[in-house]
């Protein structure tokens, strides 16, 4: 296992659309392990492969408080959604920024697990939001895309300033 570098907004690589995984093999399982380690270390509750500059449709999520409920989604697709849920979101690629975004409160997602077995999951509230957030990453979207242009500009300037000061 290895920690991977998490891309930071506004890095253009975050806009790259992820490609479907042909099959879950040792390479993908290694990627999943690296992603989980990176997510827990950050610390965060979700990570998409595109956030570590890997253009594959792989997501890891753990919304538990004890970090013992890792969920893996390979080639995830939201089949159904319902309700509206406004929640303050943050993102490992947009550190220190939290803004309210409206999402579906309940989603049904189909995916493969870490062994390549197909499954379907009905998720609500925080887990549903996290699934939507991470699938957005796979499609080249960042949660700030849901905000006004003015907020996006402020966030971009704030993060660019942080990066300059860190150098």
């Amino acid at each position: 296992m290895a920690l991977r570098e998490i891309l930071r907004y506004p890095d253009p690589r975050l806009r790259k659309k992820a490609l479907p995984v042909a099959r879950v093999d040792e390479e993908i399982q290694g990627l999943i392990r690296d992603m989980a380690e990176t997510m827990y270390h950050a610390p965060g509750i979700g990570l998409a492969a595109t956030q570590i500059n890997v253009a594959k449709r792989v997501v890891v999520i753990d919304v538990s408080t004890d970090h013992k409920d890792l969920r893996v989604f390979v080639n995830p697709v939201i089949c159904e959604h319902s309700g509206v849920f406004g929640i303050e979101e943050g993102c490992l690629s947009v550190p220190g920024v939290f803004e309210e975004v409206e999402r579906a409160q309940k989603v049904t997602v189909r995916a493969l697990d870490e062994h390549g077995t197909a499954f379907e999951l009905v998720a609500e509230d925080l887990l549903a939001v996290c699934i939507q957030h991470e699938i957005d990453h796979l499609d080249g979207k960042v949660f700030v895309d849901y905000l006004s242009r003015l907020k996006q500009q402020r966030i971009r300037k704030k993060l660019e300033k942080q990066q300059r000061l860190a150098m």
Side-chain angles (χ1 to χ4, degrees):
M1 293 196 302
L3 289 176
R4 304 277 192 108
E5 178 186 359
I6 298 172
L7 301 178
R8 294 179 71 154
Y9 178 82
D11 192 311
R13 294 173 292 179
L14 288 168
R15 300 299 181 181
K16 193 182 302 182
K17 288 192 177 199
L19 301 172
V21 172
R23 70 185 182 97
V24 179
D25 55 17
E26 288 181 23
E27 177 189 339
I28 295 299
Q29 290 170 338
L31 172 65
I32 290 165
R33 286 189 297 274
D34 288 354
M35 289 174 63
E37 183 178 357
T38 301
M39 175 188 71
Y40 289 133
H41 182 264
I45 61 171
L47 187 69
T50 51
Q51 291 179 270
I52 58 168
N53 199 29
V54 175
K56 296 187 188 232
R57 295 191 74 80
V58 179
V59 166
V60 295
I61 294 174
D62 188 342
V63 296
S64 70
T65 54
D66 61 1
H67 301 287
K68 293 187 179 175
D69 190 25
L70 181 67
R71 296 171 186 258
V72 175
F73 301 84
V74 178
N75 298 333
V77 175
I78 293 176
C79 311
E80 295 179 35
H81 57 84
S82 62
V84 177
F85 191 57
I87 188 169
E88 192 173 73
E89 289 188 32
C91 180
L92 295 176
S93 291
V94 192
V97 176
F98 300 90
E99 293 287 341
E100 186 165 314
V101 175
E102 281 192 359
R103 302 277 189 178
Q105 185 172 7
K106 183 177 179 181
V107 297
T108 301
V109 62
R110 285 190 192 121
L112 303 176
D113 67 13
E114 64 273 20
H115 306 292
T117 304
F119 71 94
E120 185 172 291
L121 172 73
V122 176
E124 295 184 70
D125 302 326
L126 180 59
L127 180 57
V129 167
C130 197
I131 289 168
Q132 293 167 83
H133 177 109
E134 299 308 332
I135 290 175
D136 274 354
H137 278 299
L138 299 179
D139 294 332
K141 290 181 75 174
V142 182
F143 88 98
V144 297
D145 295 347
Y146 293 96
L147 306 176
S148 71
R149 286 268 186 231
L150 180 60
K151 282 187 177 182
Q152 289 177 30
Q153 290 171 346
R154 287 182 181 161
I155 291 167
R156 178 186 298 261
K157 286 180 182 181
K158 175 183 175 182
L159 294 176
E160 287 172 346
K161 182 178 180 182
Q162 285 175 358
Q163 288 176 349
R164 280 195 308 274
L165 293 174
M167 295 177 141

